Amino acid sequence: MVVSSLFHPSFSTIVFTAAKPIHKNHRSVTISAANDNIKDKARRHPTAANNFTAKYVPFGASFDSDESYSLDEIVYRSKSGALLDVHHDVEALAKFDGAYWRNLFDSRVGKTTWPYGSGVWSKKEWVLPEINSDDIVSTFEGNSNLFWAERFGKQFEGMNDLWVKHCGISHTGSFKDLGMTVLVSQVNRLRKMNRPLVGVGCASTGDTSAALSAYCAAAGIPSIVFLPANKISTAQLIQPVSNGALVLSIDTDFDGCMKLIREITCELPIYLANSLNSLRIEGQKTAAIEILQQFDWQVPDWVIVPGGNLGNIYAFYKGFKMCKDLGLVDKIPRLVCAQAANANPLYLYYINGWKEFKAIKAETTFASAIQIGDPVSIDRAVYALKNSDGIVEEATEEELMDAMALADSTGMFICPHTGVALTALNKLRKSGVIGSSDRVVVVSTAHGLKFADSKIDYHSGNIPGMGRLKNPPVSVKADFGSVMDVLKDFLLSKTPK
Ligand SMILES: Cc1ncc(COP(=O)(O)O)c(C=O)c1O
Ligand SMILES: N[C@@H](CCOP(=O)(O)O)C(=O)O
């Protein structure tokens, strides 16, 4: 059955109008529609049950695999130790055509209807179809700006159609909010079902920990974060501290923290919140759907994503692929994963013709959130790249910092990881792989304000051998003549010759 109307019976609403008296502290309180908050309203107008389901299967297995797990189980790996993947019942979803889904998703944008005002939960049927809306923990994340990088594109890349998807302009300043709303909502549900979960934990380079602690704090769930000591920015460190997480600063790198949290979550009733947990991918994939939606369901030629633990590149692939499989679009973009040269295990694997993957010891990089040498989602990333005719690129420290400074000089304020992605763009433009009229989306993964320290170092000329584009503040005496001298020099330098 193909239904293209928004008002299919499965989505019709059941309306309860009667006000119900309830008794609290011996006083009679009447809850009326007039006093409803957005969750009350959602309770009064529940969407009718639909038949959509999802479950875990081993990564790469089909929906009818012999091995599968309910999303209400606490499980992160298959019997053979492989990654898991959330599989949706695509047959049930496909009973509705592409136009139906496009219209449904479009109808929810820009509203405050619980939970659909969120860019993630506006796609609830494709994310966690079975969760009760009441259990959702959301900050109305997503719906982030898709910025037309007009000046950067035209002036520096000879392109007319360059876009930056600002996933970092978000509740905690990174794309991690998209996955974390899903994971913490499911934990909220599991705790209500009395599953043995006392808290939620992650290893982090600073963004996962910020998102985890914020969403847990919003739901009143304890959070524990393992951070590599002195390897994350001050802004990222203060986020979980402020949100009341237990913050462990551990004398190792991210890969060391990841190993520890995996061991600890096997022993204690702490739920693992890293993207090894495939629930995270379900939220992150909505950024891909959102890009298509923002282009009025036209497919860009390329999407460039900075990669570290490598969950996000697969999330983008999965979002685009679902849109193609369910008839919302007819193709998917080519994907580029961009790595820092100091933390480039995927790049090395790629240029080696995917022959042998070797984890590395990641060196210090200004793109500190992707200083990862042993990415947990390596298999997912390879799958995404192979199935999207994808490419892997890398950026040296100087390249990524210059790219960040150049983008900032055109009105952006990006993070160093986005500098890595812009460097990849520049290299692929120079080699002619990306054409001047191609429509390209660069995914900006975190807010630049989280990385102010590295920008200060760059612009003050404090980094040996770097600072080609530096623009330090000018110290000037507090008198008219001195200020005039500085301004005259400045204006002369800017006067067209
Ligand atoms: C700001 C930022 N950009 C990019 C990434 C890379 O994402 P992924 O680990 O999913 O590859 C991360 C985290 O790793 C991040 O925090
Ligand atoms: N950049 C990440 C690294 C961990 O990635 P995850 O997606 O597996 O949680 C961070 O901010 O911690």
Side-chain angles (χ1 to χ4, degrees):
M1 175 187 41
V2 172
V3 182
S4 59
S5 155
L6 250 183
F7 302 103
H8 186 270
S10 297
F11 287 94
S12 64
T13 54
I14 303 162
V15 183
F16 297 107
T17 45
K20 269 193 187 165
I22 59 165
H23 298 279
K24 199 179 166 197
N25 296 337
H26 309 292
R27 280 186 305 159
S28 169
V29 183
T30 300
I31 303 293
S32 70
N35 291 331
D36 276 358
N37 61 39
I38 53 173
K39 263 194 171 175
D40 296 331
K41 275 199 187 111
R43 258 176 240 129
R44 282 175 187 280
H45 302 274
T47 43
N50 56 50
N51 296 323
F52 305 133
T53 56
K55 61 188 179 186
Y56 296 121
V57 298
F59 180 72
S62 62
F63 188 73
D64 42 21
S65 156
D66 285 345
E67 186 183 347
S68 70
Y69 306 90
S70 154
L71 299 189
D72 293 335
E73 284 183 64
I74 299 168
V75 54
Y76 314 114
R77 289 266 186 193
S78 74
K79 279 185 205 140
S80 69
L83 292 161
L84 295 175
D85 200 23
V86 174
H87 262 222
H88 291 266
D89 182 354
V90 175
E91 235 172 69
L93 294 171
K95 291 196 172 130
F96 300 83
D97 68 5
Y100 171 82
W101 290 115
R102 287 195 301 261
N103 289 336
L104 182 70
F105 295 161
D106 285 348
S107 74
R108 291 169 173 169
V109 176
K111 310 267 168 58
T112 51
T113 315
W114 184 266
Y116 307 120
S118 151
V120 172
W121 297 107
S122 62
K123 284 107 191 157
K124 180 174 183 286
E125 295 81 0
W126 291 23
V127 173
L128 281 190
E130 290 158 282
I131 196 166
N132 186 326
S133 292
D134 227 29
D135 294 342
I136 289 174
V137 182
S138 168
T139 59
F140 277 9
E141 51 291 305
N143 291 324
S144 59
N145 182 18
L146 182 60
F147 171 89
W148 179 36
E150 181 182 12
R151 186 166 158 231
F152 188 90
K154 283 185 181 159
Q155 201 165 322
F156 301 115
E157 302 298 345
M159 303 171 74
N160 253 331
D161 212 2
L162 174 64
W163 300 77
V164 176
K165 175 70 172 162
H166 276 302
C167 292
I169 302 182
S170 175
H171 184 66
T172 69
S174 89
F175 73 94
K176 306 286 180 177
D177 294 341
L178 303 176
M180 209 53 84
T181 180
V182 176
L183 185 133
V184 174
S185 297
Q186 180 64 13
V187 171
N188 201 27
R189 169 181 163 98
L190 295 176
R191 281 165 57 101
K192 286 186 186 175
M193 296 166 101
N194 293 321
R195 292 283 196 281
L197 284 178
V198 179
V200 190
C202 72
S204 185
T205 52
D207 289 324
T208 298
S209 43
L212 176 64
S213 53
Y215 282 84
C216 281
I221 299 171
S223 62
I224 302 117
V225 304
F226 287 16
L227 302 177
N230 306 318
K231 289 190 174 65
I232 69 168
S233 75
T234 315
Q236 289 172 312
L237 175 60
I238 202 62
Q239 288 184 289
V241 168
S242 306
N243 287 144
L246 171 65
V247 178
L248 302 190
S249 180
I250 307 178
D251 188 18
T252 178
D253 55 11
F254 170 80
D255 298 301
C257 289
M258 190 70 225
K259 184 170 175 289
L260 280 169
I261 193 79
R262 283 171 68 171
E263 289 164 2
I264 299 286
T265 50
C266 289
E267 294 297 319
L268 297 177
I270 297 174
Y271 195 65
L272 179 65
N274 284 101
S275 59
L276 175 65
N277 186 324
S278 43
L279 289 175
R280 285 264 313 279
I281 306 292
E282 294 310 293
Q284 288 172 209
K285 80 181 180 200
T286 62
I289 308 170
E290 214 170 272
I291 288 172
L292 298 175
Q293 196 169 16
Q294 286 167 312
F295 285 133
D296 207 10
W297 305 101
Q298 302 295 307
V299 183
D301 299 298
W302 298 90
V303 174
I304 307 179
V305 186
N309 220 12
L310 300 180
N312 211 27
I313 185 77
Y314 176 67
F316 271 91
Y317 170 77
K318 190 169 183 185
F320 288 127
K321 184 72 168 49
M322 275 187 88
C323 286
K324 179 169 180 282
D325 290 348
L326 289 162
L328 284 74
V329 294
D330 58 5
K331 57 176 183 176
I332 67 167
R334 288 184 72 181
L335 297 180
V336 178
C337 190
Q339 292 212 294
N342 281 0
N344 63 354
L346 179 73
Y347 177 77
L348 296 177
Y349 191 18
Y350 170 77
I351 54 165
N352 190 19
W354 302 125
K355 281 205 195 78
E356 192 195 352
F357 175 72
K358 283 197 194 118
I360 61 164
K361 169 111 188 101
E363 300 299 328
T364 304
T365 166
F366 284 106
S368 52
I370 53 176
Q371 190 186 329
I372 297 173
D374 191 8
V376 298
S377 285
I378 182 71
D379 295 344
R380 291 175 174 146
V382 173
Y383 183 88
L385 290 160
K386 285 186 177 169
N387 286 286
S388 63
D389 196 10
I391 291 176
V392 187
E393 258 301 347
E394 65 169 0
T396 65
E397 292 302 287
E398 191 172 0
E399 285 169 339
L400 73 92
M401 290 299 273
D402 281 348
M404 177 174 77
L406 201 60
D408 287 357
S409 77
T410 67
M412 294 184 244
F413 195 73
I414 59 167
C415 67
H417 322 84
T418 311
V420 172
L422 286 172
T423 303
L425 166 70
N426 184 261
K427 290 184 173 174
L428 294 169
R429 277 291 295 129
K430 279 192 179 138
S431 63
V433 174
I434 292 185
S436 60
S437 59
D438 288 357
R439 173 171 281 180
V440 179
V441 179
V442 169
V443 176
S444 178
T445 44
H447 202 295
L449 282 172
K450 285 192 175 198
F451 299 92
D453 301 349
S454 58
K455 286 177 190 281
I456 291 171
D457 285 344
Y458 181 92
H459 286 289
S460 342
N462 283 346
I463 312 168
M466 238 191 253
R468 196 166 59 81
L469 302 166
K470 69 176 187 281
N471 178 32
V474 181
S475 295
V476 59
K477 276 208 270 172
D479 70 69
F480 182 80
S482 307
V483 172
M484 281 297 274
D485 287 347
V486 173
L487 290 180
K488 275 183 200 154
D489 286 349
F490 175 76
L491 294 177
L492 267 178
S493 74
K494 297 290 169 194
T495 308
K497 303 273 166 345

